[in-house]
């Protein structure tokens, strides 16, 4: 989710709106259109400004669609899922400036939140909210805890859809001079799935599945955690403990060993929040494939 459509939508709407208003108050070309005096910009303003204004209001303040570009939220969300995001769940914000003009709520434990990536705010990320402002989040050899209360976690026997599993690794360039073919990507995805373990987590009102990989602990390589003192993070990454600052949130992907999340780059400021992911409305497989609606449903 690396492009903010509002960068195009907002200026275009303002320009056409200004032309529409100018004609209403000064030019009056629409009234004389029968005499052939209506210019092209004025015609565009009357034809497109009302539509663009409605789209802008809906996308900025009500619901905005997003596409999932990676597998960091598997098994909750897969690459190619199209989701609806509630834009007013965490406060009504102005487009482009992102200033909060109305406080309508804040994230809760277990929410799936969309936010502007702190290290590059032009990119949107989606992760699960683990720690709220003031929380202490800790991890001890497989046990995740919030304020020293372990998150209720139960192993489950879960078999994912094989078609979705084959998309865990995308085909294309993965490093300079190194290109992953479609067949190689599918083979790597299927091989990785053999090492996957699934658990059900309960956080607040949310019950969801998370995915771990046997013998892998990504926290060991997480820069943000490793920058903490040895008293709060072990060198092996199997034990760590952090406190969430005020007006910030700590987030993690549901694909715990394949997610570049807060363990790697830190906390999400409140002003970076974009909305709450609430619904999967379509899935589009990669390549020349028609979209499907079998995954439609609410996001827990």
């Amino acid at each position: 989710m690396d492009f903010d459509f509002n960068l195009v939508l907002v200026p275009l709407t303002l320009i056409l709106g200004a032309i529409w208003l100018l004609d209403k108050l000064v030019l009056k070309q629409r009234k004389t259109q029968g005499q052939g005096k209506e210019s092209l910009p004025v015609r565009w303003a009357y034809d497109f400004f009302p539509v663009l204004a409605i789209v802008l209001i809906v996308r900025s303040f009500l619901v905005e669609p997003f596409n999932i570009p990676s597998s960091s939220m598997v098994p909750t969300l897969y690459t190619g899922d199209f989701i609806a995001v509630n834009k007013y769940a965490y406060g009504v914000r102005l487009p482009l400036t992102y200033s909060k003009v109305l406080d309508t709520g804040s994230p809760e434990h277990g929410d799936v939140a969309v936010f502007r990536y702190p290290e590059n705010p032009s990119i949107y990320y989606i992760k699960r909210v683990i720690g709220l402002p003031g929380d202490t989040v800790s991890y001890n050899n497989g046990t995740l805890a919030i304020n020293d209360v372990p998150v209720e976690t139960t192993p489950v026997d879960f078999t994912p859809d094989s078609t979705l599993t084959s998309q865990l690794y995308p085909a294309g360039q993965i490093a300079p001079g190194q290109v992953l073919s479609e067949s190689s990507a599918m083979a790597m995805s299927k091989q990785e799935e053999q090492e996957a373990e699934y658990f059900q987590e309960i956080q607040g009102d949310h019950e969801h599945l998370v995915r771990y990989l046997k013998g892998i602990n990504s926290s060991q390589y997480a820069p943000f955690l490793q920058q903490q003192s040895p008293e709060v993070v072990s060198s092996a990454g199997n034990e760590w403990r952090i406190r969430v600052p005020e007006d910030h949130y700590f987030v993690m992907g549901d694909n715990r060993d394949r997610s570049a999340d807060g363990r790697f780059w830190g906390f999400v400021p409140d002003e970076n929040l974009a909305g709450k992911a609430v619904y999967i409305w379509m899935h589009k497989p990669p390549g020349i494939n028609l979209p499907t609606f079998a995954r439609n449903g609410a996001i827990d």
Side-chain angles (χ1 to χ4, degrees), residues 23-260:
D23 185 70
K24 282 286 188 181
L25 300 178
V26 180
L27 301 178
K28 310 290 186 179
Q29 289 188 12
R30 174 53 60 116
K31 289 185 177 181
T32 60
Q33 62 180 325
Q35 303 174 27
K37 295 183 179 181
E38 185 176 89
S39 64
L40 187 60
V42 169
R43 187 180 309 134
W44 283 355
Y46 278 92
D47 289 346
F48 299 116
F49 169 65
V51 177
L52 293 178
I54 293 173
V55 172
L56 178 62
I57 292 172
V58 172
R59 286 178 58 97
S60 299
F61 306 118
L62 299 177
V63 178
E64 184 171 5
F66 282 97
N67 170 237
I68 304 301
S70 73
S71 58
S72 69
M73 283 296 292
V74 168
T76 303
L77 300 170
Y78 283 85
T79 304
D81 282 344
F82 285 76
I83 64 172
V85 175
N86 181 338
K87 294 302 295 289
Y88 58 85
Y90 305 145
V92 176
R93 303 170 191 267
L94 296 177
L96 298 186
T97 65
Y98 311 111
S99 302
K100 186 187 291 188
V101 294
L102 184 63
D103 190 357
T104 57
S106 57
E108 299 179 354
H109 289 122
D111 282 3
V112 177
V114 172
F115 54 91
R116 293 181 293 117
Y117 178 38
E119 295 188 352
N120 184 355
S122 65
I123 299 175
Y124 284 88
Y125 269 29
I126 181 168
K127 306 291 180 185
R128 192 173 296 277
V129 177
I130 305 297
L132 305 182
D135 280 351
T136 295
V137 181
S138 58
Y139 182 86
N140 188 345
N141 292 302
T143 300
L144 181 67
I146 302 172
N147 298 323
D148 295 320
V149 177
V151 174
E152 187 175 340
T153 306
T154 307
V156 295
D157 185 13
F158 174 73
T159 302
D161 183 280
S162 59
T163 302
L164 296 174
T165 298
S166 67
Q167 302 171 21
L168 292 176
Y169 283 90
Q173 183 171 331
I174 58 176
Q178 186 177 2
V179 178
L180 194 64
S181 67
E182 186 173 339
S183 59
S184 297
M186 292 179 63
M188 290 177 62
S189 299
K190 293 178 180 179
Q191 181 179 2
E192 181 185 282
E193 185 58 31
Q194 295 176 5
E195 304 299 321
E197 296 179 308
Y198 293 88
F199 299 82
Q200 183 184 59
E201 276 189 357
I202 298 179
Q203 295 191 48
D205 296 329
H206 300 277
E207 294 185 17
H208 53 273
L209 295 179
V210 295
R211 180 180 188 263
Y212 287 88
L213 298 176
K214 300 175 185 176
I216 295 180
N217 178 19
S218 58
S219 296
Q220 182 178 359
Y221 311 102
F224 174 74
L225 290 181
Q226 295 302 323
Q227 290 169 5
Q228 310 305 308
S229 66
E231 289 77 19
V232 296
V233 178
S234 66
S235 60
N238 54 0
E239 294 182 37
W240 49 267
R241 184 182 186 88
I242 56 173
R243 190 174 188 278
V244 185
E246 291 300 319
D247 297 322
H248 288 73
Y249 299 88
F250 182 72
V251 299
M252 295 172 64
D254 288 349
N255 197 356
R256 294 289 160 81
D257 291 316
R258 285 276 313 280
S259 174

